[in-house]
């Protein structure tokens, strides 16, 4: 490898959360390291797509709320987010989350 080049096959271990419903043991899988090394690796395996997806399991929505604060605004927009979680999100006092909650159909 030439000086100054980065290896593209570096990996970072990401813990996969335990399936809350089955009691299975959490596994660890490898994910590609961010290119350039500048982007922070989130401390969780969740994505905005999961937080927005109406088919995401309710247990996963709860885990996203607990472990991924930057994705909570997306949970507020998900039509399948359950009422207790919506209430909890509304009590956080986050203006972006409050705006997303206000946009939900009533």
């Amino acid at each position: 490898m030439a000086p100054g080049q980065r290896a593209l096959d570096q990996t970072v271990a990401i813990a996969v959360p335990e399936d809350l419903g089955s009691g299975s043991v959490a596994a660890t899988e490898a994910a590609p390291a961010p290119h350039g090394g500048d982007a922070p690796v989130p401390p969780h395996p969740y994505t905005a797509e999961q937080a927005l997806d109406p088919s995401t399991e309710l247990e996963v929505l709860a885990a996203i709320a607990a472990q991924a604060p930057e994705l909570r605004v997306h949970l507020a927009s998900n039509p399948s987010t359950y009422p207790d979680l919506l209430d909890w999100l509304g009590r956080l006092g986050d203006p972006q989350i409050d705006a997303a909650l206000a946009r939900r159909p009533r």
Side-chain angles (χ1 to χ4, degrees):
M1 179 171 3
Q5 283 186 319
R6 295 180 186 253
L8 295 178
D9 62 346
Q10 294 175 334
T11 59
V12 177
I14 297 177
V16 177
E18 184 171 326
D19 179 1
L20 300 174
S22 72
S24 64
V25 177
T28 301
E29 61 185 43
H35 295 290
D38 295 332
V41 176
H44 57 76
Y46 304 112
T47 65
E49 290 79 13
Q50 283 177 302
L52 286 165
D53 186 350
S55 68
T56 300
E57 294 180 11
L58 300 182
E59 293 86 1
V60 175
L61 295 179
I64 292 170
Q67 298 174 31
E70 74 281 6
L71 299 179
R72 291 174 181 160
V73 68
H74 301 302
L75 294 173
S77 298
N78 184 331
S80 294
T81 300
Y82 54 95
D84 286 343
L85 182 51
L86 292 172
D87 291 343
W88 181 81
L89 290 168
R91 290 192 303 268
L92 294 175
D94 182 304
Q96 291 181 324
I97 292 172
D98 292 343
L101 291 171
R103 288 189 298 269
R104 290 178 65 89
R106 298 193 184 247

